[in-house]
């Protein structure tokens, strides 16, 4: 394998990876040639690799390390629970204190009328559960043909068969004969990339109206639910125009279908509210959660379910669905402590009133850069668009891979900033300070300069 490392231990780990490990979302040929970066430790908002380089983690892992790395309180909570009850399942009329206490804590934070939680091991499993729940719900109500779920192109709901089908990532659909039957898609509210000559508000209405047209095309009697992220994360931090969600709410109220909000990225404070649905005034029937639930310290997800849905489920007999690790006691105990930290340290409020506005103010300064066609953001989410021409929004040719070039410059210069095509995105830990935001902006600007120096004029 080719690599430019100076540490023999790094080469050893890379060789082991090549010999035995198949990582997620990876080009295996490329990985074979270059080997992975080896991350060995972390603290606060920083990572260190096996070469000793310090890196500001502008993506909070994968959108998840909300309280930052190295929180001993979470380590201790997990350790205590491992000594007391390291594992037991929730099948067959069994429960344990961490799971039921966590369900109550989540219900206290959720939108009104949502007091029940079904636990899973991940966000992907949560969205699989959403699909199972909505179809089971309508079947109990005597409408088994009401089983079609509408999602959005470029939405992301996980990479299991059901999750990838609900999502609208066409590259994922091309591997594995997806989507599965009974899932349809409408356009995303991506004004910069797809708005054309429309102003953002008109575009928001036009895209939202596709939901009504799709419902009528399929037939209201067939449509079970609409699933969407309040803000699309993996799709490129797509923040809808202000007109979009109010129009979607009107359509959802008009028709007898359920709304499933995918809060895997937005949940637990990233928008400055506990859930993105609260920021936008949405009224979901189901909310998929994960990531920030445990700040990524242990795998855990779930679905928060509206009371009226639960009332129907209680009449339907056994729900043949669940996971060995649903509500795992150690993960649940850790999640409870994570929620305590978020609450008692005022982390979500600080994002809403102080650090979120500060990040957005500093981030908007990058709009002046000659490569940047748009900046956008909310709370601890932000994106910028790399363009060849700022006025026309013309992109660079795909073979120049502007986004990937910028991402590599970032990593080489001490910053994790993710590329989604030629959209650069950040979602730092919620505990990032103003000084660390200044560092993030300075490093991002430097890497934009390095990228610009490689692009044709």
């Amino acid at each position: 394998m080719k690599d430019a490392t100076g540490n023999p231990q790094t080469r050893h780990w890379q060789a082991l990876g090549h010999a035995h490990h198949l990582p997620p979302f990876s080009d295996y040929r490329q990985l074979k040639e270059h080997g992975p970066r080896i991350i060995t430790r972390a603290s606060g908002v920083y990572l260190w690799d096996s070469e000793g380089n310090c890196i500001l983690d502008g993506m909070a892992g994968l959108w998840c390390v909300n309280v930052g790395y190295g929180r001993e309180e979470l380590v201790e909570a997990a350790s205590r629970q491992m000594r007391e009850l390291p594992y037991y399942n929730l099948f067959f009329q069994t429960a344990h204190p961490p799971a039921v206490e966590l369900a109550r804590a989540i219900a206290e934070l959720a939108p009104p009328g949502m007091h029940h939680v079904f636990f899973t091991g991940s966000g992907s499993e949560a969205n699989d559960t959403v699909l199972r729940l909505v179809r089971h719900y309508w079947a109990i109500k005597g409408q088994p043909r009401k089983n079609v779920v509408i999602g959005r192109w470029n939405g992301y709901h996980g990479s299991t068969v059901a999750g990838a089908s609900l999502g609208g990532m066409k590259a994922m659909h091309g591997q594995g004969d997806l989507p599965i039957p009974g899932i349809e898609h409408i356009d995303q509210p991506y004004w910069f990339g797809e708005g054309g000559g429309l102003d953002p508000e008109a575009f928001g209405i036009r895209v939202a109206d596709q939901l009504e047209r799709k419902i009528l095309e399929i037939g209201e009697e067939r449509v079970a639910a609409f699933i969407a992220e309040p803000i699309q994360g993996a799709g490129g931090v797509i923040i809808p125009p202000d007109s979009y969600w109010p129009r979607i709410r009107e359509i959802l109220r008009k028709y007898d279908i359920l709304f499933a909000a995918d809060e895997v990225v937005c949940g637990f404070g990233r928008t400055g509210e506990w859930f993105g649905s609260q920021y936008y005034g949405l009224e979901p029937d189901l909310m998929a959660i994960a990531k920030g639930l445990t700040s990524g310290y242990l795998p855990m997800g779930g679905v928060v379910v509206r009371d009226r849905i639960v009332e129907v489920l209680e009449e339907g007999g056994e729900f043949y669905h669940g996971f060995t690790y649903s509500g795992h006691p150690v993960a649940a105990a850790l999640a409870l402590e994570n929620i305590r930290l978020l609450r008692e340290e005022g982390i979500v409020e600080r994002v809403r009133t102080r650090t979120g506005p500060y990040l957005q103010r500093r981030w908007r300064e990058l709009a002046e850069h000659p490569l940047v066609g748009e900046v956008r953001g909310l709370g601890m989410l932000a994106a910028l668009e790399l363009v060849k021409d700022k006025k026309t929004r013309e992109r660079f040719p795909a073979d120049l891979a502007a986004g990937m070039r910028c991402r590599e410059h970032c990593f080489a210069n001490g910053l994790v900033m993710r590329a989604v095509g030629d959209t650069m995105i950040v979602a730092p830990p919620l505990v990032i300070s103003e000084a660390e935001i200044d560092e993030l902006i300075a490093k991002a600007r430097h890497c934009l300069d390095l990228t610009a120096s490689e692009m044709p004029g």
Side-chain angles (χ1 to χ4, degrees):
M1 292 193 312
K2 300 175 183 178
D3 63 69
T5 62
N7 184 351
Q9 185 66 65
T10 301
R11 293 194 293 273
H12 169 71
W13 283 324
Q14 288 178 334
L16 283 180
H18 172 55
H20 304 293
H21 182 220
L22 289 175
F25 282 91
S26 295
D27 182 326
Y28 294 136
R29 177 185 298 175
Q30 194 176 73
L31 201 61
K32 179 180 178 180
E33 292 176 355
H34 300 288
R37 302 176 179 94
I38 306 296
I39 304 299
T40 56
R41 63 186 180 95
S43 179
V45 300
Y46 295 99
L47 309 165
W48 282 265
D49 67 17
S50 56
E51 299 295 294
N53 298 305
C54 179
I55 306 156
L56 196 163
D57 185 4
M59 283 304 302
L62 275 176
W63 322 83
C64 55
V65 188
N66 287 10
V67 300
Y69 297 98
R71 296 302 298 255
E72 286 297 322
E73 302 95 328
L74 300 186
V75 176
E76 287 301 315
S79 178
R80 285 194 303 269
Q81 187 59 48
M82 280 191 170
R83 293 188 186 99
E84 186 169 325
L85 178 68
Y87 171 76
Y88 201 69
N89 68 82
L90 301 180
F91 287 37
F92 315 126
Q93 295 187 329
T94 304
H96 48 66
V100 296
E101 293 285 353
L102 177 60
R104 179 182 66 173
I106 294 169
E108 290 173 352
L109 301 173
M114 304 188 79
H115 294 106
H116 297 79
V117 185
F118 187 106
F119 288 114
T120 68
S122 69
S124 294
E125 288 181 2
N127 283 314
D128 281 33
T129 301
V130 165
L131 181 63
R132 294 289 308 278
L133 277 170
V134 298
R135 288 178 169 176
H136 183 50
Y137 168 83
W138 289 114
I140 295 170
K141 288 174 68 71
Q143 301 178 68
R145 291 186 68 253
K146 196 172 176 70
N147 62 6
V148 177
V149 178
I150 299 171
R152 299 188 297 196
W153 294 119
N154 204 39
Y156 185 80
H157 302 296
S159 60
T160 53
V161 169
S165 295
L166 290 167
M169 300 283 185
K170 294 182 180 179
M172 296 176 71
H173 290 176
Q175 297 177 338
D177 196 23
L178 301 177
I180 58 177
I183 297 174
E184 301 284 343
H185 296 87
I186 60 173
D187 286 345
Q188 61 182 334
Y190 180 22
W191 175 77
F192 184 84
E194 300 173 4
L198 290 177
D199 69 74
E201 303 315 305
F203 174 72
I205 295 293
R206 188 185 78 178
V207 177
D209 282 344
Q210 288 189 18
L211 176 59
E212 183 168 39
R213 290 199 295 274
K214 182 62 73 171
I215 292 168
L216 296 175
E217 173 191 321
I218 298 166
E220 181 184 354
E221 75 284 357
R222 295 288 320 285
V223 179
F226 173 57
I227 186 170
E229 305 154 87
I231 295 171
Q232 286 163 248
V237 183
I238 306 302
I239 299 176
D242 291 342
S243 60
Y244 179 79
W245 278 119
R247 179 63 180 137
I248 290 289
R249 285 189 61 187
E250 290 177 10
I251 295 167
L252 290 171
R253 282 196 296 264
K254 184 176 180 180
Y255 297 98
D256 189 20
I257 63 174
L258 303 178
F259 174 46
D262 184 336
E263 293 273 4
V264 171
V265 166
C266 291
F268 300 97
R270 190 149 291 282
T271 65
E273 300 290 344
W274 280 96
F275 297 99
S277 293
Q278 293 162 332
Y279 179 86
Y280 284 109
L282 308 178
E283 297 177 350
D285 295 293
L286 308 102
M287 294 195 316
I289 57 174
K291 294 191 184 294
L293 171 59
T294 65
S295 284
Y297 279 55
L298 283 174
M300 192 177 210
V303 182
V304 190
V305 184
R306 187 161 293 279
D307 297 348
R308 70 180 182 89
I309 306 298
V310 175
E311 291 171 4
V312 173
L313 297 175
E314 288 174 343
E315 302 301 318
E318 185 169 350
F319 181 40
Y320 298 111
H321 177 73
F323 306 96
T324 300
Y325 301 116
S326 290
H328 191 288
V330 179
L334 188 149
L336 272 166
E337 181 66 7
N338 180 64
I339 289 172
R340 185 190 71 79
L341 292 175
L342 288 166
R343 276 178 147 169
E344 294 188 5
E345 295 183 7
I347 293 171
V348 178
E349 182 179 358
R350 188 160 72 244
V351 169
R352 180 172 66 252
T353 63
R354 198 178 88 195
T355 53
Y358 187 76
L359 171 65
Q360 300 307 324
R361 187 163 60 252
R362 293 298 324 273
W363 189 257
R364 281 172 173 75
E365 295 172 13
L366 298 175
E368 303 166 2
H369 196 279
L371 281 191
V372 176
E374 183 189 55
V375 295
R376 56 180 179 268
L378 175 67
M380 283 293 150
L381 290 160
L384 59 82
E385 303 280 359
L386 301 181
V387 295
K388 182 178 180 180
D389 189 306
K390 292 168 74 77
K391 291 183 179 179
T392 65
R393 303 185 216 162
E394 179 188 357
R395 300 283 193 178
F396 288 102
D399 61 352
L400 290 179
M404 291 300 290
R405 287 172 185 256
C406 187
R407 187 192 77 165
E408 293 305 305
H409 283 307
C410 288
F411 220 111
N413 287 273
L415 174 65
V416 176
M417 183 161 68
R418 183 170 170 180
V420 179
D422 284 351
T423 305
M424 307 306 300
I425 60 178
V426 294
L430 305 189
V431 295
I432 192 170
S433 68
E434 285 96 334
E436 290 161 343
I437 290 170
D438 291 342
E439 179 185 348
L440 186 157
I441 298 299
K443 288 181 173 179
R445 186 184 298 277
H446 176 59
C447 295
L448 288 170
D449 290 342
L450 292 173
T451 304
S453 71
E454 298 177 346
M455 308 307 288

